[in-house]
Amino acid sequence: MTATVEPELGTSSTKRMTMAVAMNSALDLAMDRDDSVLLLGEDIADPAGGVFKVTKGLSTKYGTGRVRATPISETAIIGAAVGAALAGMRPVAEIMFMDFVTVCLDQITNHAAKLRYMSGGHSSVPLTIRTTVGEQRFGAQHTQSLETWFMHTPGIKVVMPSNPIDAKGLLASCIADNDPCLYIENISLAYSQKDEVPVKEYFTPLGEAAVTRAGRDVTVITYGPAVHTAVAAAEVLAAEGVEVEVIDLRTLMPLDMDTVLASASRTGRALIVHDAHTFLGPGAEIAAQIANDLFGELKGPVRRVGTGFSPAPYAPSGLDFHPTSDTVAAAICELVDY
């Protein structure tokens, strides 16, 4: 792996990018540096460049031998990618919507995630699976946040960026990693914000959370789009004298519980926020660990805010299906008043 570099934001070494452009840059630089990196997925070659345009221009630059548009068969994409990884390549497989990884679970959980262990460390699977979540308008079969399924599977890393710089850094780190990584992109964030991102290759360490906003009263642990929801709630409450610390997990497996526990120990209050279902979602494990390690230090029970236990609605009236800044702010206030 190329050494991690610290970005010099606002200089000629950085450029304002959306998350989609930042991911395209990460793929471009990885393919330029390493001939073993190849891409597989539906419609990823030009002129389409992927349904969300993340691979735009790459087949023109590197050829269709390394940017392979595939038939509509997710099992074939992941099966071929696992085989390519075992043969010494570093494939990046795109599954258009996370809902469709369900047909690939055997290849991912029983093969890609287990082969290092089953071979006594002799075989590695340097596979990156890119997929998307978060577009509510696509309804119950194109919206599911299934990250918990993979957090529950030993042998695979799981990441979800919330901003352009981590979108580039986490994707680069996944591609360079010798084990399978699931890289989850939120569609609503892909083009909604621009930030300064290093132009050159940049790596965000896997397994390290970031303190997005410092605060003394409550710790909010979150990731992906919910980071912005939590920060918005924190800004509102700051005007009322409540200082909220927001932790962006960035990597869901392995979890950076050291950062979470240090913050929750200091504030004495913890709230986990995510777009996945509350029931058995990532917050369940995080809450259990906080309660186990900090019992006696907490000023109130650990709370969780996620989505209800129902399929995502297609109707416009259901577009507030995921947590909002109002629901998060209300949960924070309940904790403070406990």
Side-chain angles (χ1 to χ4, degrees):
M1 177 191 296
T2 302
T4 301
V5 297
E6 292 298 326
E8 300 176 23
L9 303 182
T11 70
S12 60
S13 65
T14 67
K15 183 178 179 180
R16 286 183 64 78
M17 300 182 189
T18 62
M19 285 183 69
V21 172
M23 290 184 281
N24 180 278
S25 176
L27 293 169
D28 185 8
L29 292 167
M31 296 186 77
D32 183 65
R33 175 173 56 84
D34 186 350
D35 290 341
S36 71
V37 177
L38 78 158
L39 314 184
L40 305 93
E42 299 160 15
D43 297 325
I44 64 171
D46 295 328
V51 68
F52 302 113
K53 309 302 179 188
V54 173
T55 54
K56 186 76 173 176
L58 298 180
S59 68
T60 301
K61 185 173 183 178
Y62 296 103
T64 53
R66 294 182 64 194
V67 182
R68 298 201 173 194
T70 66
I72 303 176
S73 175
E74 285 76 15
T75 52
I77 294 169
I78 298 301
V82 172
L86 287 170
M89 307 297 287
R90 288 189 180 275
V92 181
E94 178 178 311
I95 301 298
M96 198 176 295
F97 294 97
M98 192 174 195
D99 312 70
F100 303 155
V101 300
T102 56
V103 300
C104 313
L105 280 178
D106 182 56
Q107 292 101 322
I108 296 172
T109 63
N110 285 331
H111 298 276
K114 299 299 189 299
L115 286 171
R116 176 185 289 281
Y117 174 78
M118 294 174 67
S119 67
H122 292 290
S123 296
S124 62
V125 183
L127 161 66
T128 299
I129 301 171
R130 290 182 43 241
T131 192
T132 65
V133 296
E135 183 47 81
Q136 295 184 55
R137 292 172 298 175
F138 292 161
Q141 295 178 324
H142 295 72
T143 308
Q144 298 176 84
S145 294
L146 303 175
E147 52 268 29
T148 309
W149 294 19
F150 299 93
M151 294 171 68
H152 192 67
T153 299
I156 185 168
K157 298 180 176 73
V158 182
V159 308
M160 188 185 294
S162 68
N163 57 73
I165 189 169
D166 284 339
K168 180 167 184 173
L170 288 171
L171 182 53
S173 292
C174 286
I175 295 171
D177 200 272
N178 286 328
D179 291 313
C181 297
L182 181 66
Y183 179 94
I184 306 170
E185 306 160 18
N186 187 277
I187 300 171
S188 65
L189 297 179
Y191 291 97
S192 62
Q193 60 171 331
K194 283 187 176 181
D195 286 333
E196 293 287 332
V197 177
V199 173
K200 294 184 178 179
E201 202 161 31
Y202 173 75
F203 295 86
T204 300
L206 300 177
E208 291 189 15
V211 178
T212 298
R213 186 184 190 285
R216 65 174 184 275
D217 296 319
V218 181
T219 298
V220 175
I221 303 105
T222 184
Y223 57 91
V227 172
H228 303 278
T229 306
V231 169
E235 296 296 335
V236 171
L237 293 176
E240 302 174 12
V242 178
E243 290 297 334
V244 179
E245 184 149 297
V246 178
I247 294 177
D248 181 353
L249 291 171
R250 305 194 293 191
T251 302
L252 300 174
M253 180 51 65
L255 273 172
D256 181 3
M257 286 304 298
D258 289 343
T259 297
V260 171
L261 293 172
S263 176
S265 177
R266 185 165 47 77
T267 65
R269 303 179 180 93
L271 171 71
I272 303 106
V273 180
H274 50 60
D275 281 359
H277 298 300
T278 304
F279 181 73
L280 293 180
E285 174 62 27
I286 297 167
Q289 291 199 36
I290 294 172
N292 184 73
D293 286 33
L294 300 181
F295 185 76
E297 297 183 42
L298 298 174
K299 300 172 184 174
V302 183
R303 299 287 194 188
R304 293 175 288 154
V305 174
T307 62
F309 197 58
S310 70
Y314 186 83
S317 60
L319 291 182
D320 58 352
F321 181 67
H322 292 137
T324 66
S325 59
D326 288 342
T327 58
V328 172
I332 292 171
C333 289
E334 286 182 8
L335 264 178
V336 172
D337 294 337
Y338 184 82

